[in-house]
Amino acid sequence: MSIADIQIAPTPEHHQHDDHSLNFWTKYIFSTDHKVIGKQFLIMGIFWAIIGGLLSVLIRIQLGMPESNLAWLEPILGKWIVDGKLDPGFYLGTVTMHGTIMMFLVLTAGLSGTFSNFLIPLQIGARDMASPFMNMLSFWFYMLSSVLFFVSFFVESGPAMGGWTVYPPLSAIPQAISGSGLGMTLYIIGFILFIVSTLMGGLNYITTVINLRTKGMSMARMPLTVWALFLTAVIATLSFPVLFAALLLLFFDRSFGTSFYLSEIYIAGEALPNMGGSPVLYQHLFWFLGHPEVYIIFLPALGLTSEIVATHARKPIFGYKAMILSMAGIVVLSFVVWAHHMFTSGMNPFLGTAFMVTTLAIAIPSAIKVFNYITTLWGGNIRFTAAMLFSIGLISFIISGGLTGIILGNAPLDIHLHDTYFVVAHFHLVMGVLAFFGTFAGVYHWFPKMFGRMMHEGLGKLHFWITLTGSYLMFIPMHYMGYAGYPRRYYSFTNFEYMNNFIDLNWFISVAAIVTASAQLIFLFNFFYSIWRGKKAPANPWGSNSLEWTTEKVVPGHGNWEGDIPEVYRWPYDYSKPGAKEDFIPQTVSLTETIESNTDYENQRLIQLKKEITNTQNN
Amino acid sequence: MIQIIGIVGAAFVIAIAYAIFKVLRFVDIIKRPAKSEVPSDNNTSALLLLIFVILFLFGFWWYFFYASPDLLPVSASAHGEETDQLFRIAMGVILIPFTLLNILLFYAAYRFRYKKGTFARFYPHNNKLEVIWTVVPGLVFAVLILMGTNVWSRITTAPPENAEVINIMGYQFAWGVRYPGADDTLGSHDYRLADAVNQFGMDLSDPSSFDDFMPLEIHLPKGKPVLLNIFAKDVIHSVFLPHFRLKMDAVPGMPTRFWFTPKYTTEEMREMVGNPEFNYEMACTEICGTGHFAMRMVVVVDEPEAYEEWKASQLTWLKMNPEYLAKIPENLQEIARIKSGIEQLPAIVAK
Ligand code: HEM
Ligand SMILES: [Cu+2]
Ligand SMILES: [Cu+2]
C-alpha cells in the first residue's frame, strides 16, 4: 500500500475541454496559457537579441575598423551615415539602445518572461498561473513597449542617446543632444509600459509559487529553478517601481517644466529657469533599480543552470539549502549596494565606505554558488549535452567575470576604473554573456518540452564552442583597455595620445565580435528548423526528476496534466541514489516504492507515517 | 582588413551550410523518437573542455605579460601610487582563484565525464565544507575592504590648507579652467552670467575675478597639493586624469572637488616613458553629448618655480576680453583695470 492510496485523492478537475474551443487567435496570439505566453516571450526575446546583436556589431565596426567606409549601410541608416562615416550622435544612440535592449527586452523579459512563465506552473504542479489573464496582459504590455522602442529608431531626431542609464540633464534637455527629443519621450513611455509588464508578470510568479504548488511540493522541495525565478520576481516587484517613479519625474522635468533633476543649467546660449533639482537624485533612484536589475538577469540564468547541471551530471545539486540561502542573501543585499555605481558622482565619501562594505558582502553568496557548482560536478557521471556545455561555460563566466567585481567594488580602485572599458568587460562577462549562456542552456534543455522535438545536439555544440571562445576573446582584452584608461561610450579613440596603443587589439576584438555574432545564426537555424523538423522527443529525454517531465503528452496541452496533478514525495535531486535501480528517481515516486534506496532517515519517516495511519484507521 | 573579414565571413557561411546539410541528412535517417542516452561524442567534449582551459589560461597569462607595457606608466600622483599598489594586491588576490577555479571547473568536467557502468556519487551536502568556503572568502574580502577604506579615507579627507585651488568647468564640449591670479582668490561665477565668450559665467561684480586667468592648458606644480573645484555648466561631465588615477563627476548645480599631489613633472615622465612627445591628458568620462569623445585638454606638471613663472606670465581673462569692462559696476572699474593688468599703476599693486 502506498502512501498515495491513503491520502485523500484530490477531486478531479475537468480539463476535457482542452483545446477544442480555441481558434488560432485565442490559442496563439491572445493566449492565456502560460506555455504559449512563455514561447511568445521567447520569440520576442530572440527578435530583440538579433537587433541588439546587430547594434553591437555596428559598435564594434566603428571602434575596431574606424577607417572603413560605411556607405553600404546607407540604405538602412539613411542620414545617420555621413560621407561613409557613422554620425557620432547615432553612435551614442546605438550604444544606448544596444544596452537597453539587451538588459531589459532580452535578458529580463526574454529570459525571466520565457522561463518563469513556461517552467513555474509545470515544475510546481499547477494548471496555470494564478492569474492567466494578467499574464497575457503582461506579454501585451511588453509588446506595446517593444513597439515604442522600435519606432524610436525611426524618428527624425533619432533614438535615445544618453546611455542606458539616461542620466539627466543630458536626457532631459532636447538641446543637449538630438536623441533627447522625441526619441527620449518614446523611450520613457516604452520603459514605463515595460515596467508595468514586468510587475504584472512578477506578481503572478510570486502568487503562483506561493499558492499553487501541488500536494507535497513544499517550498523545500522546489527545484532551484523555481526558487531562482521566484526570488527574481521578488527583486523585480520591489525595485522596478522605484525606476517607474524616477522616469515619471524625468518625464515631468522634460514635459512640464518641473525641476526634480535640473538646476543651474546654461545650454545652447540660454540659461534655463530650473533651480534646486539634483541630477544625483536621479542616479540614486536609477541605481536602486539598476543594481538589483543585474541580479534580475543573473539569478534566473543560475537557476536554470542549477537544474541542468544536476540532471546532466546525474548527481544531486550540492548544498541545496546553501544555494537557496545564498540567493536569499543576494536578494536582500542587492538593495543596499546601489551606490557602488556612484563612487565618483560627488556623493558624500562616507557613503563610499558604506557601499564598499555591502558590495564585498554580496560577493560572498556568489562565491558560495561557484563552489557548490564545482562540487556538484565533482564525482558526477557527466553527459555533455549542449545544455550542459553551456552551463559549464556559465560557471566559468561567474568566476572570470565575478572576480573583477571585487576590484570595482573597492572604491579607491573604482576611481580610476569607473566608466572605462574595465567596467564594460566586467559586466559583459558576469551579466551579458553569462545570462545568454543560461538562456541557451535553458532552451537546449527545455526545447523538447516546449516543442516536442529535440534540437540538434551537434549544431548546439558547434554553437557552444564558437560562442565560448569568442566571448572570452572579446571581453578579456577589454579589461586591459579599461585599465589603460579607455573610457566607455566613446565614438573613437583617435583624439587622445594615450589611447593610440591598442589599435590592433580593438580590431581583434571586433573580428571576434563579428565571428561570435555570426555563430548565433547556427543557433537560429537549429532553433527554427527543430521546431518543425527536429527529432521527435521522448517524454523525459534527459532522465530528469522534476515534474514538468511527467505530463502525459510530451507537449502538454491546456491545463498541463490531463488527469490529476501528480503528487510530490521528494526533492527533485535524487540522482544516482545508492541502491536505486535507475540513476534518477522522479519527484512523483513515493518513498514506499524505493525502500531499497531510501536513507535511514527516510525509512524512519515512513515507519512513523504508517503508524500514524494505522492509528487513525483503528480509531 | 575588409578582405580578412570577407574571408572569415565566407568560411562561416560555408561551415554553416555544411552543418545544415549534415543535419538534414541526419534527420532523414533517424525518424524514430530519440531516447535518453549519452551523447556519442561525450569523450570528445570532455577532452575539448580540458584543451580549452589549457589554451585559455595559457593565452591569458601570455597576454597578461605581453600587454603590460601598453598600460599606463606609473602613477603621476601620490594617492595614485597607493591605489596602484592596492590594485596590484587585489589583482593578485583575484588571479589566484581565477586560475585555480577555472582549472578545477574544467578538470572536474573532464574527469567526471560519463563512464559506462559507473554511478555518480550521491553527495548532497557537507556542512563543514560549506562553512569553510563561506568564511574564507569572507575573511579575504574583509582584508581587502579594510585596505580599501583606509586608502579611500585618505584620498577623500579635506584638502590641506596650502593647496593650490583651481576651478574646472565642463561644458559641451570643452573644459574651462580658472586660476585665481595674483590675489590667490578665485572670483565667483553664476551660470546666469554665462555667454558665448564668458563660458565660465564669471561674476564681474566680484573684485576677486578681475585677475583670474583661464589658460588653454592646465599647469600644476610638482609636489604641492592641488585642489580641483569641479563644476558643470550644462550636463554632467566627468574629469578624468588617467595618469593621476583621478576621476570626479562635474554636476550642474552641485560643485564637487578632488585634491591630489602631482609627483612627476611632464619632463620627468617623458624621460621615464622614453617618449619626448608624452603629455598628460584630461578626458571626459561621463556621456555628455556628441562631442563626449573629444573633450581633451593637456595637463602640464612643472617644477614649483617654473609653475610660479608660468602663472605670472598669464594674461588675465579680463585683459584678454576687455570689452567686458563695460559690464563692471562703475565703482569697481578702476580696480578692475588695475587688477586685470589692463592699466599699469605701480602705486596700487593688487594685494
Ligand atoms: C556580441 C556581443 C556583444 C558585444 C560585441 C557588445 C559590445 C558592447 C560594447 C563595445 C559596448 C560599449 C560601447 C561604448 O561604451 O561605446 C557595449 C555596451 C553595453 N552592452 Fe554590450 N555587447 C554584446 C552583448 C551584450 C549583452 C549580451 C548585454 C546584456 C546585458 C550587453 C549589455 C550592454 C550594456 C548594458 C552596455 C552599456 C550601454 C551603455 O553604455 O549605455 N551587451 N556593448
Ligand atoms: Cu551594482
Ligand atoms: Cu563627456
Side-chain angles (χ1 to χ4, degrees):
Chain A
M1 183 173 57
S2 84
I3 300 240
D5 303 335
I6 302 153
Q7 287 159 349
I8 306 148
T11 41
E13 290 170 46
H14 293 283
H15 269 275
Q16 279 77 344
H17 59 261
D18 256 34
D19 296 341
H20 60 81
S21 61
L22 302 172
N23 61 28
F24 173 81
W25 287 94
T26 45
K27 188 166 171 196
Y28 294 112
I29 308 297
F30 294 104
S31 170
T32 55
D33 182 340
H34 70 98
K35 299 179 291 299
V36 177
I37 296 175
K39 288 182 214 168
Q40 287 174 325
F41 271 109
L42 180 58
I43 300 291
M44 277 309 286
I46 291 178
F47 168 79
W48 277 117
I50 295 172
I51 308 245
L54 288 176
L55 292 176
S56 71
V57 170
L58 184 59
I59 297 175
R60 283 313 328 175
I61 291 179
Q62 168 63 30
L63 295 180
M65 296 113 187
E67 310 290 307
S68 54
N69 184 345
L70 299 182
W72 54 277
L73 280 171
E74 246 181 272
I76 314 169
L77 297 182
K79 69 168 176 157
W80 299 114
I81 301 286
V82 184
D83 295 334
K85 292 273 165 252
L86 191 64
D87 174 80
F90 192 76
Y91 174 80
L92 293 179
T94 309
V95 171
T96 305
M97 296 309 285
H98 159 76
T100 310
I101 288 171
M102 288 297 197
M103 300 260 318
F104 296 97
L105 302 179
V106 180
L107 293 176
T108 303
L111 173 55
S112 262
T114 304
F115 289 101
S116 296
N117 274 306
F118 191 79
L119 287 182
I120 288 178
L122 279 170
Q123 287 200 330
I124 64 168
R127 298 238 180 254
D128 205 314
M129 283 288 174
S131 169
F133 180 71
M134 204 161 94
N135 211 19
M136 177 187 87
L137 280 187
S138 158
F139 176 75
W140 285 102
F141 269 96
Y142 168 54
M143 273 307 273
L144 270 181
S145 110
S146 289
V147 169
L148 292 188
F149 280 116
F150 192 74
V151 167
S152 79
F153 277 104
F154 301 100
V155 300
E156 176 71 27
S157 52
M161 295 174 182
W164 78 279
T165 51
V166 287
Y167 282 178
L170 181 63
S171 62
I173 312 170
Q175 301 94 295
I177 190 166
S178 74
S180 295
L182 181 58
M184 189 61 207
T185 305
L186 290 169
Y187 186 95
I188 293 181
I189 301 175
F191 221 123
I192 283 182
L193 293 172
F194 180 84
I195 296 173
V196 172
S197 152
T198 311
L199 290 180
M200 289 204 280
L203 289 172
N204 239 325
Y205 310 149
I206 294 172
T207 17
T208 309
V209 170
I210 292 180
N211 294 313
L212 298 186
R213 299 191 310 276
T214 181
K215 196 158 186 190
M217 178 65 85
S218 63
M219 295 290 270
R221 282 183 184 163
M222 294 195 313
L224 285 174
T225 318
V226 177
W227 267 107
L229 295 169
F230 169 70
L231 291 173
T232 303
V234 171
I235 304 183
T237 35
L238 291 176
S239 60
F240 266 111
V242 178
L243 181 66
F244 190 106
L247 289 175
L248 211 58
L249 300 186
L250 181 57
F251 192 82
F252 284 178
D253 273 6
R254 290 167 49 80
S255 305
F256 304 122
T258 55
S259 309
F260 292 106
Y261 306 131
L262 306 179
S263 187
E264 304 184 26
I265 291 166
Y266 176 95
I267 194 159
E270 69 171 324
L272 303 185
N274 310 68
M275 285 294 261
S278 162
V280 177
L281 168 66
Y282 174 87
Q283 299 178 18
H284 280 294
L285 293 174
F286 178 86
W287 286 111
F288 192 84
L289 162 92
H291 190 84
E293 169 64 20
V294 172
Y295 290 96
I296 292 174
I297 291 174
F298 180 79
L299 285 181
L302 265 63
L304 300 176
T305 307
S306 304
E307 185 70 16
I308 294 168
V309 165
T311 308
H312 299 260
R314 314 310 293 160
K315 193 162 169 292
I317 195 85
F318 182 83
Y320 174 77
K321 290 227 172 72
M323 291 295 237
I324 296 172
L325 284 177
S326 50
M327 283 197 280
I330 287 177
V331 172
V332 174
L333 288 171
S334 73
F335 287 102
V336 289
V337 296
W338 78 86
H340 65 205
H341 298 274
M342 299 168 61
F343 286 138
T344 62
S345 66
M347 70 179 185
N348 187 324
F350 172 72
L351 286 179
T353 309
F355 280 91
M356 185 175 0
V357 175
T358 54
T359 301
L360 290 208
I362 206 172
I364 296 174
S366 316
I368 297 175
K369 298 203 74 124
V370 171
F371 293 127
N372 283 0
Y373 279 130
I374 296 182
T375 322
T376 304
L377 293 179
W378 200 265
N381 200 23
I382 305 171
R383 293 157 188 204
F384 295 106
T385 56
M388 185 62 175
L389 289 172
F390 272 101
S391 301
I392 292 172
L394 176 144
I395 301 167
S396 175
F397 288 123
I398 318 180
I399 300 169
S400 314
L403 283 167
T404 47
I406 294 166
I407 300 239
L408 291 168
N410 214 317
L413 301 183
D414 190 54
I415 295 174
H416 178 60
L417 297 173
H418 178 64
D419 269 343
T420 64
Y421 266 81
F422 196 91
V423 177
V424 175
H426 160 72
F427 74 68
H428 274 96
L429 285 182
V430 80
M431 175 180 68
V433 183
L434 177 142
F436 259 95
F437 270 52
T439 314
F440 285 133
V443 170
Y444 283 110
H445 185 83
W446 278 286
F447 191 89
K449 190 71 345 201
M450 291 180 176
F451 300 102
R453 290 171 189 270
M454 311 291 289
M455 285 180 78
H456 188 264
E457 281 284 317
L459 284 184
K461 284 170 195 167
L462 183 64
H463 173 216
F464 165 75
W465 285 111
I466 301 177
T467 312
L468 177 74
T469 314
S471 303
Y472 270 132
L473 289 180
M474 275 187 279
F475 294 118
I476 290 278
M478 285 190 198
H479 292 93
Y480 295 88
M481 295 171 53
Y483 190 55
Y486 282 59
R488 67 195 272 205
R489 297 162 176 171
Y490 261 36
Y491 171 70
S492 83
F493 299 118
T494 47
N495 288 284
F496 290 80
E497 288 162 22
Y498 85 89
M499 294 183 209
N500 64 8
N501 51 354
F502 279 129
I503 296 170
D504 299 350
L505 187 64
N506 256 318
W507 177 83
F508 178 80
I509 294 175
S510 294
V511 173
I514 293 168
V515 170
T516 314
S518 340
Q520 307 315 307
L521 293 175
I522 304 174
F523 172 78
L524 286 181
F525 167 77
N526 196 353
F527 182 85
F528 288 107
Y529 185 84
S530 304
I531 290 183
W532 290 284
R533 303 279 315 267
K535 275 191 287 179
K536 282 255 164 50
N540 191 354
W542 317 117
S544 179
N545 285 342
S546 43
L547 272 190
E548 73 271 28
W549 307 103
T550 62
T551 57
E552 292 85 354
K553 289 198 209 151
V554 175
V555 179
H558 200 57
N560 296 341
W561 286 270
E562 288 171 0
D564 297 341
I565 299 181
E567 208 174 303
V568 163
Y569 301 96
R570 57 179 77 234
W571 77 331
Y573 298 112
D574 269 345
Y575 289 106
S576 302
K577 218 170 173 192
K581 286 181 234 81
E582 294 218 51
D583 64 357
F584 69 111
I585 311 177
Q587 286 188 281
T588 50
V589 175
S590 118
L591 288 181
T592 49
E593 295 169 44
T594 58
I595 304 286
E596 68 286 356
S597 68
N598 288 352
T599 58
D600 294 346
Y601 173 77
E602 283 165 340
N603 276 332
Q604 272 157 22
R605 281 269 311 150
L606 260 188
I607 294 166
Q608 207 184 334
L609 264 177
K610 281 215 169 143
K611 270 197 200 130
E612 281 168 25
I613 291 156
T614 1
N615 284 348
T616 34
Q617 279 174 340
N618 292 348
N619 289 346
Chain B
M1 203 172 285
I2 296 287
Q3 288 90 318
I4 297 180
I5 301 168
I7 294 168
V8 172
F12 249 86
V13 173
I14 293 168
I16 291 168
Y18 175 71
I20 289 173
F21 169 75
K22 284 203 63 165
V23 177
L24 292 176
R25 285 205 24 176
F26 192 67
V27 171
D28 287 341
I29 296 165
I30 303 171
K31 280 274 161 64
R32 66 203 147 79
K35 242 182 56 210
S36 155
E37 58 195 19
V38 181
S40 55
D41 53 4
N42 216 52
N43 286 335
T44 318
S45 295
L47 196 63
L48 281 174
L49 285 168
L50 197 64
I51 295 174
F52 176 81
V53 75
I54 294 170
L55 289 180
F56 171 48
L57 289 174
F58 191 80
F60 174 85
W61 282 104
W62 168 76
Y63 190 72
F64 188 84
F65 293 105
Y66 173 83
S68 297
D70 282 340
L71 298 175
L72 291 170
V74 290
S75 167
S77 69
H79 78 272
E81 292 189 331
E82 287 188 60
T83 53
D84 277 6
Q85 180 62 14
L86 185 58
F87 183 81
R88 276 190 293 271
I89 294 172
M91 242 335 172
V93 169
I94 70 166
L95 283 176
I96 297 167
F98 166 75
T99 310
L100 292 185
L101 288 177
N102 267 313
I103 293 178
L104 205 60
L105 168 69
F106 287 93
Y107 174 69
Y110 168 76
R111 171 157 166 208
F112 296 102
R113 66 196 179 277
Y114 168 84
K115 288 186 203 80
K116 206 172 164 164
T118 60
F119 257 77
R121 181 147 162 243
F122 189 78
Y123 190 57
H125 71 109
N126 176 334
N127 292 345
K128 204 164 120 204
L129 270 183
E130 284 164 71
V131 169
I132 291 177
W133 62 52
T134 311
V135 172
V136 172
L139 288 179
V140 174
F141 295 165
V143 173
L144 286 177
I145 291 176
L146 280 179
M147 299 201 306
T149 45
N150 204 345
V151 177
W152 176 247
S153 64
R154 249 170 295 153
I155 293 176
T156 55
T157 48
E161 289 290 320
N162 64 339
E164 282 285 318
V165 184
I166 301 170
N167 282 0
I168 293 191
M169 180 178 280
Y171 54 89
Q172 287 182 336
F173 295 103
W175 302 100
V177 189
R178 179 172 177 187
Y179 285 75
D183 64 359
D184 261 347
T185 317
L186 281 154
S188 55
H189 64 263
D190 188 316
Y191 74 106
R192 281 164 295 201
L193 301 172
D195 57 43
V197 179
N198 184 4
Q199 289 278 12
F200 216 95
M202 229 180 237
D203 180 358
L204 294 176
S205 64
D206 177 355
S208 307
S209 301
F210 299 152
D211 63 349
D212 291 359
F213 64 89
M214 295 192 55
L216 297 175
E217 269 181 1
I218 302 182
H219 278 243
L220 302 171
K222 172 186 160 185
K224 252 190 105 178
V226 176
L227 169 65
L228 303 179
N229 284 321
I230 300 167
F231 309 91
K233 193 167 70 173
D234 36 37
V235 299
I236 304 177
H237 303 266
S238 189
V239 171
F240 182 34
L241 295 169
H243 302 97
F244 301 86
R245 316 293 191 260
L246 184 160
K247 184 179 292 132
M248 181 52 73
D249 283 5
V251 186
M254 190 186 89
T256 58
R257 63 182 193 182
F258 201 113
W259 76 270
F260 65 111
T261 312
K263 206 163 166 198
Y264 302 109
T265 63
T266 300
E267 279 310 323
E268 284 168 338
M269 192 54 100
R270 283 181 179 166
E271 233 155 82
M272 281 189 316
V273 299
N275 172 8
E277 314 271 274
F278 172 87
N279 275 313
Y280 293 123
E281 292 172 295
M282 172 160 81
C284 177
T285 45
E286 188 63 62
I287 183 172
C288 57
T290 46
H292 172 51
F293 67 105
M295 285 176 64
R296 174 177 187 260
M297 193 160 198
V298 170
V299 177
V300 180
V301 178
D302 298 315
E303 293 291 348
E305 309 81 54
Y307 173 70
E308 293 304 329
E309 272 168 37
W310 171 81
K311 255 170 84 169
S313 72
Q314 297 297 306
L315 295 185
T316 66
W317 184 82
L318 205 51
K319 187 164 182 183
M320 293 180 71
N321 301 281
E323 64 278 16
Y324 279 79
L325 270 175
K327 299 203 174 177
I328 292 174
E330 203 61 41
N331 57 335
L332 297 175
Q333 285 277 349
E334 186 62 23
I335 183 161
R337 281 166 188 284
I338 294 157
K339 272 189 93 171
S340 65
I342 293 176
E343 259 171 43
Q344 231 76 46
L345 253 196
I348 329 169
V349 178
K351 184 174 166 207

